[in-house]
Each structure stands twice: as structure tokens, then as C-alpha cells.
Amino acid sequence: MLFLPSLKKTGHLDRVHITVCIVGSRKIGDLDDYASQGWEIFAPNLTIYGFDADAEACNEANADLEARQVNWTEKHIPLALSNTEGKAILYVTKYPGCSSLYPPSEEYIKRFSGNSELIELKSTVDLSTTTLEKFCQAEDVKEIDFLHLDVQGAEMKVLEGAGGILNHSVLGLITEVEFTELYAGQPLFSDVDIYLRNRGLTLFDFGHMQRDMRREIPVISNSHPGALIWSDAFYFRDLMRSNVDPSLKTPEKLLKLACLADVMKFPDYALEILEYLTLNYGSDPNYNFANNIIESLGQIPELVEQGLESLPIVARLREYISLEEGYIPNTAEPIIPDLEATLVRTWKSNFIYQGKHLPYNRIGYNNTGERAIEIPIAFNFLATLEKKDKILEIGNTLSHYENSLSEYIGIRPRRIVDKFEVALGVDNVDFMDIPSEEKYDVIVSVSTVEHIGQGIEPSSQAYGEQIQIRDIEAPLKAIAKIYDLLSVGGKALITVPFGKLIDFGWFIQFNQEYLDILVTKHHIPEKAIFHSFMRILDMDMASSNPREIWVEEKAESLVNVEYNYPYPCANAIAVIKLTKLVEQFYINPNIIATPISYYQPVDSQKTNYAELLEDKFVLLLSKLRNINLIVFPDFNEENLLYSELDKVVRSILKHPEQNCINLIICSTISEEEVNYILADVTMNILMQENLDVSNPPEFSIIEMLSKLQSEALRPRILARICLENENQRAIADFGVANLSAFTLDSFNFRRAVESDAGIWEFK
């Protein structure tokens, strides 16, 4: 699959429901299980119907599905499908999987040796048959998108019984075809091919060509090694042809067809369709796949080396390539990701706030930490207000990030009050001294009220009060003052650092108890206040204007969040919205502070980030993938260590998303020793298994991390894989309480999904 992971990540697959029908669904090996072949990416919008004449095989398959608790719909039905309802004879062969509605060909058995023993007739069974069309009518199945036929020569019978489902619904299929009669009287490839072509399906390719040797013939050609016997034939509707029925060439069917082509490893056809959809329907975001195409092509090293910009398809799609909804001009966002960005972290250009996609602030002024989201939240707040004739900004913040959008949303003529910052258009007055008679339609304060009434900022002496006795609740009085200055119906937006209640001396980090004082002591009506909360999950520490990932959180999830830890500045914020309900409001500036407990900061200034920039830690971060997993083997159990690592490495190398995985191994021995063990284990696995490792997973080894490094790494780890023998001390030291954990057995059936906000989950 090339394009489906990107389509899944961006939510395009949420509108696609795939229905698969497998006729001859006996599961003999992993290749017979569709879910393990990549189709589970469509889950939960995936339905699989399996048919097999062997009731016991169907029961086993259904029991296995129930035990696995799969998140898609799949059931195996003990029915023999043919071209009519009636009676038939099943010719049971020595190898049950070769049983057929046609008798084995005696002539073939006499002349050829390879398959003869497998198709040797053992017995016959009388059975009833029905048609696929009758089944669909009885079960109210309206569509089947993909059909897989493996019924030992009787494929034509199934096709003849498919009726309208085949003619108007099926977009692709695999069918076993024979070039020589393995079964007496069976239709051959040419018969099947003509039948399917007459119904609008085009042969795209064959699978492995199976050959057989003639009996008693001692010579064979290197160029033509034996007689061609059978293969799998791959068919799709070629909806790119100009003479296709328009009722079939709908955007919905084209998108389904592109998905089917990609999952069946026909990326060229999938790309042709996705480009067609973008160029013809791209004005609708549901059918604009330009960014998905660019991201997916960026997974191919050869194309990246050549330069994606040089590809003609990129030129054709250029006007449809975007940085997603809400892109702010004047920011230098790259259109095409480089290879490193594609492999390590696809940083989102927007975040979700109150159900709306907003762009991260990428203007590189004081943009480490919360400014990445505070600025777009504030601009969005101002843009959506109806009445904003009089606007007051407390703290000169937004002017550093303004552009032509300020004129459009009408905030240029606002009053800006900042006691300390001297700048053109800024009133250097104490906000608390503004008379209550002044009223404003809108008041905005970004990361300012937490400093009001507090001491001098310690590193730069830029702002703060020269005071002997601090008012530790002055920030709350400032919010009450904001409410007082609003006209009736007026609205305010205030952002403050949030988490553990901390007294930094030069500002207060709020918590919920502190916020509640606004209602209980300052008597702002509870209905006048709306709170929401955001938390940082990831930051590109190597950048002075870092990319970040922020997500909405509940207040109770933030009770232990520290400022400056593990990331610079606020690691969570509260967004407070006020609506003035009535004119009458009394503010008491002399009210005594509430006796509640304040914590001392872990780190009041940015003194310890050198640990996050150590070469070894930066190298570890650079190797992270979208799916980062961690294990804690017990390196003291040498006799069990190899078997433990063999199991986990084997599972990862066989996982369909191996190229997106980084396994982090927590070690108590040297990195060199672990690399030696890993190389030995991996080599043995590759010798035993026929695995595709063209895009291998990453393996990272960590010995000892500082507490800060562990705190910064932990949010980037998707889950922990549990082993039978683990280093419990290392697990406790690292701190895995909030990490998902699962066994290797469940890992094999899990797939990674990224939300719109950039959060990865294993489902």
C-alpha cells in the first residue's frame, strides 16, 4: 500500500465502506486471511463475506474471528455457490482444498505429475447450491466491491450466478484461472476472460504462473519450464476509459476503485485515479488528494532523490496542494516535505480547537511554546465576533503576529494597554487603573493576566512590579476587572498557563481550584465563564521556531502539568471566555487572598534544556517514526533474551506497517552488545522467512536517560510491548503508567491510526 495510510490519516477513508466477497474462503494459511493482507486498514468500514462448502472450515473461521474480537464485519457462510439453485456433486480430492464441482481430469493425471496426487478423487458429496445474486437478495446486500474466486475450476459458474452484482457493483476481482483442464469439462482462462471483458472488467495482471512437468519426460526447457497450468488473474474496471458508462464513473466509485487498486498493490492505477479525482473534483475537499499524493510519493527514496518538484504530476497538482484549511499567509511553510520529515514526523499544520481546525502560528517571534496556539485562537475569536466596535487588548501581544488578516477581521483600531512595553500605539498605563465607566465590546489578553501584580521577570528585567508585598491573587482580580470593563453582551478571551498551581514569583500558573475563585469570591456569574484547555504533546526541540502538537484536554488530566517541563514555557493552557451578562458588577481590589497551597516550580528558568539537546538524545529523536514502541527486556536472563528478542523482532518485521515503526529497546548492557544481538536475531529471521524488508523498521537502543529526557520522550511513544521476562526496575524508572500496553499476540492485529490533531493510536 502506498496511498492508503495517508488517506486513512486524513480521514478520507471514513467515507469509504468496502465489501469483499470470497468464494472458496477456507483459511489454510495467513495469505488466506484478508485482514492480515492489509484490508484491515478499511476497518471498521469493512465487510467480508466468505463462502465455502465445508461447514467445519466456516465454523473454525468464525470462531477465530470471535476470539480475536476484530473491529470489522466478517462472517463465513457454509454455502456452495454456483450458477443455479439446485443440487450438485462435490468431488472431494485427496487434498481437500482442491475439491471441485468438476471431477478431476483423468487425462491430466495421466500426462502430468505435479498436481496429480493433490487432485486424486477420494469421494463425492451431494450438496445444494445457490447463487451469489440470490444470497445478496436474501441478505439485502446492495453492493459487493471486490470479489475473490478460488473454487477449483468452477469460477465461471459463480460469475454466471452473480447477475447484476457483477455487472453493476463489482469494481475488482481476483479469480483463479486454468490454462489446462485440471478438472474435466471446466472452463479455461479464455472463457473466463471473455465473460469478464463483456461485463466491463479488464485484465490487469497475473499472479505467479504455476507450471507442471509431463510424466516420464526427462527433459525440460530453461526458457519454458513445463506446461502452464494455472494462475490468479487480477481484474479491475477501467473507469479511466472515455467510453465508460457515466453511472459507474462517479467520484464515490472512483475513490473506492483507487483504494482497491492500492490495497492490491497496483499503485500506478491508484495514482491515476486519485489524480483524476483531484483535477476534476478537487474543489470539494473530500476529493482533493493532492497533499496525500505528495506525502505518499515522499515515501519513495528514488523519487525524493530525483526531486518531487521535478515530477510532472506535481506540476499538474500544484494549484491543489495546500497547507490545509486556515493557512495564514506570510509563513514559510514548505509545500513538499523532505525525506527526513516524511520518515520521522509529519508535523501537522493545524490543530483542533472547539471542533474547528486552526493553523499553528508559524511566525517566528517568541514562538516557542504556547504562542503556537494562543495566537490563532485569539485571531479566530476576534474574527467570529459580530460586535467589535470597541476592542481592548491587555498586554501588547497580537501586534507581533499581525498581517493583512488584521484589516480583514477588523482589529487594527483596537486599544492596546501594556504597563511596561514601550511601542508605537501602546498605552503604558496600569490596566487596573482604567475607570469602570469605560466599556468595551471585546477584550483580549494573551498570556498577560498571570503576571499582573507579580514580581519582576528574572531573566531580562523586562516587566514586573517593584513590590515588597505581592498580591498572589492579583491575576484573578485582573480577570474580574476585565469582566467589569465589558459592556453587556461583550465578550473577552484570556489565556493563562495551566496545570499544577505554581507560584513562580513573576507569574502564577493557574489550576482549577484557582479558577473557581472567580465565581466563589469575585462573584463573576458561573454562566458567564467558559473554560477550555490545551496541552502540548510534542515539540521539535532542535528548532528555534519549533513545530508542535497541541491537543484539547480536560482540566482533571492536567493536575500534574509543570511549566517549563519537559518542554519550554507553558506545557498546558486554559482558554477563558467571558460573556458580560448584566451591567451591575462590583470589583473589590482589596479582597484578601484565599489560603490555598502553591507549589514551587521544578525549574523557574530555562536552564536544563541542554539535556534535550545532547547529541545522543537528538539522534534518538531524529530516528523516531510515526509508531514508536518500547520494550524492556531482562538482559540478566541470557538464556531467554534471544528468544524474547526473536519474537518481538519477528512480529515487527512481519507487521504491514513495519516501515513506520521504531522499536525502542531499553537496555542495561552496552549499545554495541545489543546491536550485535539484534543483528544475529534479525539475520536468523530473514534466513527463515521470506520477508520484504525494502523499507525496514527502525531499532533504537537507550541505556540511561535523565528524568527530563524520559519526560520528553514518553509522549512520543505510542505503546509498550509486554514481554514474558522484563526488567521491572527499568519499567518503574521510565514511568509507563500512562502508556498503552499490549502483548505480541494483540500487536499483530493492531494498526496505527492518526487523528486530525496528530495523535497516534494503535487500534
Side-chain angles (χ1 to χ4, degrees):
M1 292 184 293
L2 182 59
F3 302 102
L4 285 173
S6 178
L7 295 176
K8 181 80 170 183
K9 181 173 61 178
T10 55
H12 286 296
L13 295 190
D14 294 346
R15 298 176 292 106
V16 177
H17 193 293
I18 298 294
T19 301
V20 179
C21 177
I22 310 169
V23 187
S25 64
R26 177 195 297 268
K27 294 188 179 184
I28 298 170
D30 288 344
L31 293 178
D32 298 313
D33 181 26
Y34 258 53
S36 65
Q37 301 307 308
W39 290 79
E40 76 284 353
I41 197 168
F42 299 114
N45 300 331
L46 173 66
T47 300
I48 298 176
Y49 296 105
F51 297 89
D52 201 282
D54 188 337
E56 184 177 347
C58 291
N59 291 337
E60 289 179 0
N62 290 329
D64 175 63
L65 291 166
E66 184 176 356
R68 286 157 52 189
Q69 295 183 329
V70 298
N71 65 332
W72 63 90
T73 301
E74 180 174 351
K75 57 183 176 180
H76 293 259
I77 304 133
L79 287 177
L81 297 188
S82 186
N83 54 357
T84 60
E85 283 188 303
K87 300 294 183 182
I89 298 174
L90 178 67
Y91 294 89
V92 181
T93 56
K94 184 174 181 180
Y95 179 66
C98 292
S99 301
S100 174
L101 295 179
Y102 289 93
S105 168
E106 292 298 328
E107 183 173 342
Y108 175 84
I109 292 172
K110 288 178 182 178
R111 294 184 62 200
F112 295 93
S113 59
N115 295 300
S116 298
E117 186 176 352
L118 298 177
I119 64 171
E120 179 183 331
L121 183 63
K122 300 298 293 182
S123 62
T124 60
V125 175
D126 293 329
L127 47 74
S128 298
T129 63
T130 188
T131 68
L132 182 56
E133 187 171 39
K134 291 286 186 183
F135 170 82
C136 291
Q137 290 171 353
E139 297 292 325
D140 197 30
V141 177
K142 303 297 184 186
E143 287 187 324
I144 290 176
D145 304 301
F146 194 81
L147 193 56
H148 186 166
L149 306 178
D150 183 5
V151 284
Q152 304 306 115
E155 288 78 13
M156 180 70 89
K157 288 182 181 289
V158 178
L159 292 170
E160 290 171 342
I165 284 286
L166 177 63
N167 296 334
H168 306 298
S169 174
V170 172
L171 296 171
L173 64 85
I174 305 173
T175 179
E176 187 174 283
V177 292
E178 279 80 28
F179 306 97
T180 299
E181 281 193 12
L182 280 168
Y183 303 93
Q186 72 166 106
L188 298 179
F189 164 68
S190 57
D191 305 302
V192 174
D193 184 60
I194 292 170
Y195 189 85
L196 289 174
R197 285 183 181 275
N198 287 339
R199 282 148 185 82
L201 288 143
T202 300
L203 178 67
F204 269 56
D205 202 1
F206 289 108
H208 181 66
M209 292 294 190
Q210 303 291 334
R211 299 174 181 271
D212 204 350
M213 297 179 60
R214 289 171 169 81
R215 289 186 183 276
E216 309 300 331
I217 301 299
V219 295
I220 191 168
S221 166
N222 290 328
S223 302
H224 308 286
L228 189 60
I229 303 300
W230 66 273
S231 184
D232 288 320
F234 296 78
Y235 286 83
F236 291 101
R237 291 198 186 278
D238 191 353
L239 297 184
M240 293 292 95
R241 292 186 292 111
S242 59
N243 60 344
V244 172
D245 181 352
S247 67
L248 288 173
K249 201 169 183 175
T250 64
E252 295 82 4
K253 284 191 177 292
L254 284 165
L255 178 54
K256 274 192 177 185
L257 184 57
C259 292
L260 294 173
D262 198 34
V263 78
M264 292 308 300
K265 298 182 175 62
F266 290 87
D268 54 334
Y269 188 35
L271 179 54
E272 183 182 19
I273 298 169
L274 292 174
E275 182 191 15
Y276 174 87
L277 282 168
T278 302
L279 296 179
N280 288 275
Y281 301 95
S283 58
D284 181 345
N286 290 327
Y287 298 105
N288 181 349
F289 304 106
N291 283 15
N292 302 99
I293 291 170
I294 299 303
E295 179 184 7
S296 301
L297 295 179
Q299 305 286 341
I300 304 173
E302 295 83 359
L303 294 183
V304 175
E305 185 176 351
Q306 175 184 339
L308 295 185
E309 289 278 7
S310 68
L311 299 177
I313 191 171
V314 174
R316 294 194 296 269
L317 292 172
R318 183 165 299 282
E319 66 178 286
Y320 295 95
I321 299 172
S322 70
L323 291 170
E324 304 181 314
E325 177 186 1
Y327 168 56
I328 296 180
N330 304 330
T331 60
E333 292 281 1
I335 289 178
I336 298 173
D338 58 26
L339 177 61
E340 182 180 5
T342 301
L343 290 178
V344 177
R345 159 66 84 181
T346 305
W347 294 96
K348 290 284 186 181
S349 60
N350 62 30
F351 62 99
I352 298 176
Y353 172 72
Q354 298 295 295
K356 188 171 185 178
H357 290 254
L358 297 178
Y360 282 105
N361 171 37
R362 296 293 297 137
I363 297 173
Y365 174 85
N366 190 26
N367 198 31
T368 299
E370 63 268 34
R371 290 294 189 278
I373 58 167
E374 286 178 319
I375 303 307
I377 288 173
F379 276 125
N380 176 70
F381 169 74
L382 291 165
T384 55
L385 294 175
E386 293 183 4
K387 184 172 175 57
K388 47 189 171 187
D389 296 329
K390 291 188 66 178
I391 303 175
L392 172 65
E393 181 181 0
I394 301 165
N396 182 31
T397 303
L398 295 182
S399 63
H400 299 292
Y401 306 93
E402 289 183 84
N403 51 33
S404 58
L405 286 177
S406 297
E407 296 288 356
Y408 175 73
I409 63 179
I411 67 168
R412 285 284 195 209
R414 70 190 184 276
R415 182 186 183 191
I416 304 174
V417 173
D418 192 305
K419 187 175 181 180
F420 300 101
E421 186 173 339
V422 178
L424 184 66
V426 177
D427 291 343
N428 296 126
V429 299
D430 191 331
F431 152 68
M432 299 297 289
D433 292 337
I434 296 176
S436 292
E437 290 73 28
E438 288 190 27
K439 298 297 180 186
Y440 294 88
D441 300 319
V442 181
I443 301 178
V444 178
S445 178
V446 175
S447 283
T448 298
V449 300
E450 67 269 23
H451 299 287
I452 291 178
Q454 308 307 304
I456 294 175
E457 193 272 320
S459 63
S460 65
Q461 307 286 309
Y463 52 84
E465 304 284 356
Q466 295 278 3
I467 52 178
Q468 298 298 318
I469 301 174
R470 288 173 50 230
D471 183 351
I472 206 160
E473 284 186 12
L476 299 176
K477 294 176 182 177
I479 295 175
K481 180 68 174 179
I482 290 172
Y483 186 75
D484 179 45
L485 291 176
L486 286 172
S487 58
V488 176
K491 296 182 181 296
L493 180 135
I494 304 154
T495 65
V496 295
F498 190 84
K500 186 181 290 186
L501 182 60
I502 303 177
D503 175 11
F504 279 80
W506 55 287
F507 76 92
I508 301 296
Q509 175 165 285
F510 286 39
N511 74 347
Q512 187 64 61
E513 184 182 14
Y514 193 73
L515 274 176
D516 289 342
I517 296 172
L518 291 172
V519 175
T520 59
K521 184 187 289 188
H522 295 280
H523 305 296
I524 298 177
E526 189 171 359
K527 291 182 178 180
I529 305 176
F530 173 81
H531 302 139
S532 58
F533 306 93
M534 302 288 295
R535 179 180 193 167
I536 189 171
L537 283 190
D538 205 351
M539 179 185 287
D540 181 13
M541 287 299 303
S543 171
S544 60
N545 183 16
R547 297 179 187 275
E548 303 171 25
I549 292 179
W550 286 77
V551 295
E552 289 182 290
E553 279 278 16
K554 295 180 179 179
E556 54 264 31
S557 301
L558 304 174
V559 293
N560 292 314
V561 170
E562 302 268 5
Y563 190 93
N564 262 353
Y565 193 82
Y567 300 109
C569 303
N571 280 231
I573 66 168
V575 181
I576 306 165
K577 291 182 180 179
L578 303 177
T579 302
K580 187 67 171 289
L581 299 183
V582 294
E583 181 67 47
Q584 187 175 7
F585 180 75
Y586 174 71
I587 178 170
N588 183 0
N590 299 315
I591 194 168
I592 299 173
T594 306
I596 56 178
S597 297
Y598 293 79
Y599 291 90
Q600 294 303 306
V602 170
D603 179 35
S604 59
Q605 298 184 52
K606 303 171 189 176
T607 57
N608 58 358
Y609 295 110
E611 294 178 18
L612 299 183
L613 299 176
E614 289 177 359
D615 290 345
K616 197 168 185 178
F617 189 67
V618 171
L619 178 62
L620 170 64
L621 297 183
S622 73
K623 292 183 177 181
L624 295 181
R625 301 280 180 92
N626 288 334
I627 308 170
N628 301 298
L629 308 170
I630 192 166
V631 291
F632 297 87
D634 186 350
F635 284 86
N636 292 323
E637 295 286 344
E638 294 185 13
N639 56 329
L640 299 173
L641 180 60
Y642 271 82
S643 63
E644 289 274 37
L645 288 178
D646 179 271
K647 291 175 187 175
V648 70
V649 172
R650 191 181 300 268
S651 292
I652 287 174
L653 290 175
K654 295 175 76 172
H655 199 278
E657 293 167 328
Q658 59 161 287
N659 64 309
C660 300
I661 294 176
N662 180 357
L663 179 68
I664 300 170
I665 302 171
C666 189
S667 170
T668 54
I669 60 177
S670 71
E671 184 175 343
E672 183 179 3
E673 290 177 276
V674 182
N675 276 322
Y676 176 81
I677 297 171
L678 271 179
D680 192 17
V681 167
T682 305
M683 184 62 68
N684 286 334
I685 294 171
L686 294 179
M687 292 175 62
Q688 296 166 11
E689 307 268 3
N690 182 23
L691 299 175
D692 177 12
V693 288
S694 55
N695 291 304
E698 182 70 54
F699 294 95
S700 298
I701 300 160
I702 58 174
E703 296 178 50
M704 184 65 69
L705 297 178
S706 71
K707 183 180 179 182
L708 180 64
Q709 289 170 337
S710 296
E711 291 281 352
L713 177 63
R714 196 179 301 119
R716 307 178 191 216
I717 297 176
L718 191 60
R720 164 189 160 219
I721 298 179
C722 300
L723 306 176
E724 291 182 13
N725 297 280
E726 294 185 304
N727 184 338
Q728 298 299 327
R729 173 68 180 273
I731 291 173
D733 289 345
F734 187 79
V736 297
N738 294 323
L739 279 184
S740 297
F742 43 79
T743 63
L744 277 176
D745 289 339
S746 64
F747 164 74
N748 294 331
F749 297 105
R750 291 176 183 263
R751 298 297 177 266
V753 179
E754 185 183 17
S755 71
D756 288 346
I759 304 173
W760 285 86
E761 295 181 297
F762 234 0
K763 296 183 175 179

